[in-house]
């Protein structure tokens, strides 16, 4: 990896080693074909917190400039070659604080739990006035004066939407 670690001021450099506590670790990490990401790790209350987002790093033959900007309003920006690669809120993109809701390990769904999103009510019945047709003959339609039943066939009024239609049951 080509990342940088920012150590606390009290660190004795003569005692520094790979497990020395740091405040921030930032930079690209390319370890073989599987790992090509930018690390952004903050230490908070003695624990290292890795960013929840996956930021891909450049893995070509060129040199690249990686920049981390942390703002006073608790937002951040990761820039690669002075172009924004990622950004957001420190609170949303790291797990600094414990979850607002803690899962109860003893909680479980009842054995008879039904996973279906919607379930028909077995006691539901169709109202008696439900069966109304979707379309009805236009009550204002009149047979044209020049209509010839023998020539034109039986006259039927135009159909209109039924205002009492309630849809399919």
């Amino acid at each position: 990896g080509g990342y940088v670690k920012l150590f606390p001021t009290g660190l004795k450099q003569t005692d520094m080693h790979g497990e020395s506590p740091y405040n921030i670790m930032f930079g690209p990490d390319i370890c073989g074909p599987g790992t090509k990401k930018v690390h952004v790790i903050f230490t908070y209350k003695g624990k290292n917190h890795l960013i929840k987002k996956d930021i891909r790093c450049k893995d070509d033959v060129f040199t690249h400039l990686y920049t981390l900007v942390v703002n006073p309003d608790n937002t951040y920006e990761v820039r690669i070659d002075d172009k924004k690669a990622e950004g957001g809120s420190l609170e949303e993109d790291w797990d600094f604080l414990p979850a607002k809701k803690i899962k109860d390990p003893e909680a479980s769904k009842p054995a008879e739990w039904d996973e279906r999103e919607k379930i028909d009510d077995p006691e539901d019945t169709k109202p008696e006035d439900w069966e109304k047709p979707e379309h009805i003959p236009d009550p204002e339609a009149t047979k044209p004066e020049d209509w010839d039943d023998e020539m034109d066939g039986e006259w039927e009024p135009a159909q209109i939407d039924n205002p009492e239609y309630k849809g399919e049951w």
Side-chain angles (χ1 to χ4, degrees):
Y3 39 84
V4 173
K5 288 184 178 180
L6 300 178
F7 295 96
T9 57
L11 177 74
K12 292 183 180 178
Q13 293 181 21
T14 55
D15 296 335
M16 190 172 86
H17 51 81
E19 298 301 314
S20 294
Y22 56 86
N23 293 336
I24 299 174
M25 184 173 109
F26 170 71
D29 186 10
I30 301 173
C31 293
T35 304
K36 294 179 177 139
K37 67 181 191 174
V38 176
H39 283 294
V40 186
I41 303 173
F42 290 100
T43 301
Y44 180 69
K45 292 188 175 182
K47 185 177 175 193
N48 295 338
H49 298 273
L50 180 63
I51 190 169
K52 294 189 277 188
K53 294 180 178 177
D54 185 33
I55 307 171
R56 305 292 294 165
C57 64
K58 305 281 184 178
D59 66 343
D60 52 31
V61 297
F62 301 106
T63 301
H64 298 281
L65 175 66
Y66 290 81
T67 307
L68 172 64
V69 178
V70 180
N71 299 303
D73 65 352
N74 285 336
T75 59
Y76 74 96
E77 190 172 287
V78 173
R79 300 180 71 80
I80 302 174
D81 296 330
D82 206 30
K83 291 184 180 130
K84 181 178 176 180
E86 193 56 75
S89 161
L90 295 177
E91 187 176 340
E92 292 174 10
D93 294 344
W94 281 268
D95 291 323
F96 293 122
L97 304 174
K100 291 180 182 176
K101 289 184 180 179
I102 299 171
K103 290 187 178 182
D104 182 355
E106 303 296 318
S108 64
K109 292 180 182 176
E112 67 277 359
W113 189 267
D114 192 328
E115 292 289 340
R116 292 178 293 174
E117 192 172 316
K118 293 184 179 183
I119 303 171
D120 290 333
D121 183 351
E123 297 179 20
D124 194 16
T125 58
K126 189 186 303 187
E128 289 180 23
D129 67 339
W130 193 269
E131 294 293 334
K132 303 285 184 182
E134 184 175 358
H135 302 287
I136 58 172
D138 184 351
E140 297 178 10
T142 57
K143 183 177 180 179
E145 290 180 19
D146 62 342
W147 189 270
D148 183 351
D149 285 338
E150 285 183 22
M151 186 122 161
D152 299 322
E154 186 180 341
W155 180 80
E156 293 180 7
Q159 298 284 306
I160 61 168
D161 291 337
N162 185 353
E164 295 179 14
Y165 178 68
K166 297 179 182 177
E168 290 186 36
W169 178 255

